[in-house]
Amino acid sequence: MNLFQNAKFFTTVNHLKDLPDTPAEIAFVGRSNAGKSSAINTLCNHVRLAYVSKTPGRTQHINFFELANGGFMVDLPGYGYAQVPEAIRAHWVKLLGDYLQQRQALIGLVLIMDARHPLKPLDVQMLDFFHITGRPVHILLSKADKLSKNDQIKTLSAVKKALKPFAERQQISVQLFSSLKKQGIEEVNNVVAAWFAAAAEQAEAEAENPLPDENEG
């Protein structure tokens, strides 16, 4: 089952207090112009589900989309270069940071990197920032079609090697992806489906064995 097929826009928020009540969600994030919106559109087989622009920083809110399994996909503001006023940029940074570290419904992060420029300092900062949650990260090396087959293999190998220190402290995986060639769709779907399945199992186990009420006794 393709979880992303027929994804539907649900809501957009600009403040944490407005976040919807969802059972479980996965979030997409990446540096501005890394190909995040194109990746979302390709995965969902939808031309304009996520707005694509040549101007970095167009995604200024947290956008929620409902998936076929009842879970949610979240499109987060891009980080890094964006020609926006400093006050707006500061708001994005706080919104993004608070969401990533405080959102209980978030079960995993899909991090988009341009395959030609992976693991930039801001990407490494994102991995460092998110690892304290203990939740998994799956990296899409987007725009892989811009590289030759040989360079794709070299890049994937180099990124996997560079990620070893991160993999020692959290679940992290990486793959090549191309929106233009529709490369890597099934792999993303399988990874995310496993996250939702694990979250559902955990929720079921917690329901069967609820924690004792601290006020009892």
Side-chain angles (χ1 to χ4, degrees):
M1 173 177 145
N2 182 349
L3 289 179
F4 299 99
Q5 189 79 24
N6 300 320
K8 298 175 183 177
F9 175 77
F10 185 73
T11 190
T12 184
V13 303
N14 196 29
H15 299 280
L16 290 185
K17 64 181 177 58
D18 297 324
L19 290 173
D21 184 15
T22 67
E25 61 201 39
I26 54 109
F28 280 70
V29 72
R31 287 173 55 232
S32 295
N33 223 22
K36 174 171 58 70
S37 294
S38 295
I40 290 173
N41 287 335
T42 297
L43 287 167
C44 298
N45 194 26
H46 196 293
V47 178
R48 290 176 66 84
L49 189 72
Y51 187 76
V52 180
S53 172
K54 294 186 184 299
T55 304
R58 284 303 296 258
T59 306
Q60 300 178 16
H61 298 75
I62 296 179
N63 296 308
F64 283 76
F65 302 88
E66 188 169 7
L67 301 176
N69 67 344
F72 287 79
M73 171 181 68
V74 184
D75 183 14
L76 297 173
Y79 54 86
Y81 172 80
Q83 292 178 317
V84 295
E86 187 55 40
I88 295 177
R89 191 201 308 271
H91 173 71
W92 290 1
V93 170
K94 179 166 175 49
L95 183 67
L96 186 64
D98 289 349
Y99 168 83
L100 287 171
Q101 290 196 331
Q102 299 176 20
R103 182 66 165 167
Q104 292 299 311
L106 181 62
I107 62 171
L109 186 68
V110 180
L111 176 55
I112 316 295
M113 300 180 194
D114 188 325
R116 299 166 297 177
H117 316 289
L119 291 173
K120 289 287 189 181
L122 284 174
D123 298 325
V124 175
Q125 285 181 30
M126 176 60 70
L127 289 170
D128 279 332
F129 182 81
F130 190 69
H131 98 270
I132 67 168
T133 68
R135 293 165 184 149
V137 177
H138 186 58
I139 295 171
L140 303 191
L141 298 176
S142 68
K143 306 183 184 181
D145 54 278
K146 304 290 187 182
L147 300 176
S148 67
K149 288 292 184 184
N150 193 41
D151 284 341
Q152 287 185 25
I153 293 169
K154 286 182 179 179
T155 297
L156 182 61
S157 177
V159 171
K160 283 182 175 179
K161 184 176 180 180
L163 288 173
K164 281 186 177 179
F166 297 96
E168 291 173 0
R169 64 191 191 191
Q170 73 185 123
Q171 182 184 331
I172 189 164
S173 49
V174 60
Q175 69 166 95
L176 294 163
F177 189 86
S178 168
S179 297
L180 185 65
K181 301 291 186 181
K182 293 185 167 40
Q183 172 188 355
I185 294 175
E186 186 175 356
E187 188 174 348
V188 185
N189 187 73
N190 290 343
V191 168
V192 170
W195 290 352
F196 277 114
E201 286 181 11
Q202 181 178 345
E204 187 175 333
E206 291 174 354
E208 291 177 355
N209 300 286
L211 293 174
D213 191 331
E214 293 181 358
N215 295 322
E216 288 184 0

